[in-house]
Structure formats: C-alpha cells, structure tokens
Amino acid sequence: MLKKMMAASAVALRSGTRPSLMFTCRHSTSASSAVNSFLLRSLKEHYLEITRMAAPPKVSPPSSFSIIVGALDGNGPVLTKNYGKEEINISVMRLANIVRGGGGGDDDDEINQLFLHVTVSKLEQKDNLHFLCGLYPDALGIHSVSMRPKAESSGSGFLVVPSSYNGPTFEDLDEKMRDMFHNYIEERGVNESLFPFLQAWLYVKEHRNLLRWFRSVGTFIYEPKNGKKD
C-alpha cells in the first residue's frame, strides 16, 4: 500500500496535479489501522507469554506478620504487625528501582536486593520512626533512621521526601549505636527471614502489573469495526 501511494504521488507530481485529499486521508486511515493491528497483535503475544510464566512457589510471611489486604494493587505497606503498643508496617520494592545504573547487574541479581521502608508507630505519638533498609537473602542493612510525621507515611506511597531534618547519616553514628538500632528492628521481626516472602510477593506484583499494563494499553488502542467499544 505504501509503495502504491508513493507511485501515485510521483505520477501526480509529474503531471502537475496533486493527489486528492480523499486519497490521502484514506491512506492515512489505512496506515493507522495497520499500525494498530500490528501493535495489538504484539501486545496480545506478550500478554499471553506472561500468562504462561510459572508462578513462584507460595511463601508465607513470618507468623508474627500479617499481609495487608489490597497491598498487591497499591503502593503502600505490604506487611504489618503489633509489637506491644507499637504498630510495625513494612513496604518493599526492588533496590535496583531506587539506585539506577549502579552496577548493570542482571535481573536475578536485582530481585535479590530489596529496599525496605519500615515504619514504627505509636498511637500517642504524632511522629513515626522510619528505617530505610536494604534486604538481602542473608542480611539486612540499615541505610538511615529518621522521625517523620504520620501524614508523610500514608498508604499513597512510601518513598516520601521528609519535610524536616532527616537525622545524621547512619554510617556517621558510632558502631555501638548502629548495632543497637539493628537489635531494635530485629526484636520487632525485621530481618533476613522476611526475604523469601517479600521476594515472591514482588514477583507476583510485577507479574500482575505487567498483565494489567498490556491489557489496558490494548483496550485503549482497540477500535472495533462498528466504532463502538464494549
């Protein structure tokens, strides 16, 4: 079709006439339809490929934690537990999504490096105690400790820039204090034992997000012949 269009245009230019507007519009519509068709086919192929991916083995979180209802469809905390009068909430994402271009590792390495946002809250306190941590299969490291207003740690998203002083760099604290902070969160069950569940949970979440993306993009592009969408 494109070759025919170019040939017709060349003849028209040699004869001193212009291709009709109707012809141009018809070609434009046809080309757009072809692009949509190829794109929809590709989206469907990828969608089906993802549906055939093997699901990870089902893993339960440590018994003291509960999975927050609806966490797979949101950006807020994944796990919660009560510790005395405290409430512990944990959010997670790939560390590679935070530190871009750091080492060029492959996907297997990236899913083995998780980024945790741990919130310790007390009902009578207006601020929460926040720990930003790196979680690995065999270790957990603290990146920072800060106090943040509760309004800054809502379920709308856990990567929030604090509005006040964020505290000293964790590495600038003396070794004894760093060890005590590690003991503090370990007493609350925040350690490498969380890794198997959170890793599997991320696989499931990313799988669902991919399916949702391919489906929603395909639905947007799809144009039935009668011009009406279901």
Side-chain angles (χ1 to χ4, degrees):
M1 177 63 74
L2 184 57
K3 289 183 178 179
K4 290 182 180 179
M5 173 63 178
M6 293 175 66
S9 298
V11 171
L13 287 172
R14 284 197 299 268
S15 63
T17 60
R18 297 175 58 192
S20 69
L21 180 60
M22 182 180 296
F23 181 84
T24 303
C25 291
R26 187 183 303 119
H27 172 265
S28 177
T29 302
S30 177
S32 176
S33 177
V35 170
N36 288 358
S37 179
F38 280 118
L39 182 54
L40 285 169
R41 187 180 307 145
S42 180
L43 288 167
K44 182 178 180 180
E45 289 173 354
H46 283 80
Y47 179 88
L48 293 175
E49 182 179 350
I50 294 170
T51 62
R52 291 190 288 267
M53 291 172 59
K58 187 174 181 179
V59 181
S60 298
S63 58
S64 60
F65 283 94
S66 300
I67 303 171
I68 295 178
V69 176
L72 278 173
D73 297 316
N75 295 317
V78 177
L79 295 174
T80 187
K81 70 174 291 187
N82 291 322
Y83 182 83
K85 295 183 178 181
E86 300 172 353
E87 182 181 12
I88 316 298
N89 289 314
I90 297 177
S91 303
V92 62
M93 68 186 304
R94 290 192 188 206
L95 187 62
N97 291 346
I98 304 299
V99 185
R100 293 289 186 181
D106 57 32
D107 288 342
D108 290 337
D109 289 335
E110 292 173 359
I111 201 65
N112 288 327
Q113 303 175 38
L114 307 182
F115 182 86
L116 295 191
H117 181 115
V118 182
T119 300
V120 182
S121 60
K122 296 181 179 181
L123 185 62
E124 68 276 10
Q125 297 283 350
K126 65 178 182 179
D127 293 333
N128 292 331
L129 181 60
H130 284 248
F131 293 84
L132 302 185
C133 307
L135 179 64
Y136 307 89
D138 58 353
L140 180 140
I142 298 174
H143 293 301
S144 68
V145 181
S146 62
M147 297 297 301
R148 299 187 186 181
K150 290 181 178 178
E152 292 184 350
S153 56
S154 64
S156 61
F158 59 86
L159 293 179
V160 181
V161 177
S163 60
S164 58
Y165 177 59
N166 202 28
T169 303
F170 189 72
E171 292 303 318
D172 288 342
L173 301 175
D174 64 64
E175 184 177 357
K176 184 177 180 180
M177 183 174 292
R178 294 199 303 267
D179 289 343
M180 290 300 101
F181 273 124
H182 276 284
N183 291 339
Y184 179 89
I185 60 173
E186 285 178 3
E187 285 184 356
R188 287 153 178 78
V190 183
N191 52 48
E192 62 272 16
S193 68
L194 294 169
F195 186 87
F197 168 78
L198 292 175
Q199 182 190 50
W201 187 88
L202 274 180
Y203 274 122
V204 173
K205 183 177 178 66
E206 292 180 0
H207 181 268
R208 289 181 55 162
N209 284 343
L210 277 173
L211 288 176
R212 186 181 294 114
W213 185 85
F214 283 115
R215 186 167 57 246
S216 61
V217 172
T219 299
F220 180 87
I221 294 173
Y222 174 66
E223 292 286 350
K225 292 182 179 179
N226 61 10
K228 295 182 180 180
K229 293 187 178 181
D230 296 333

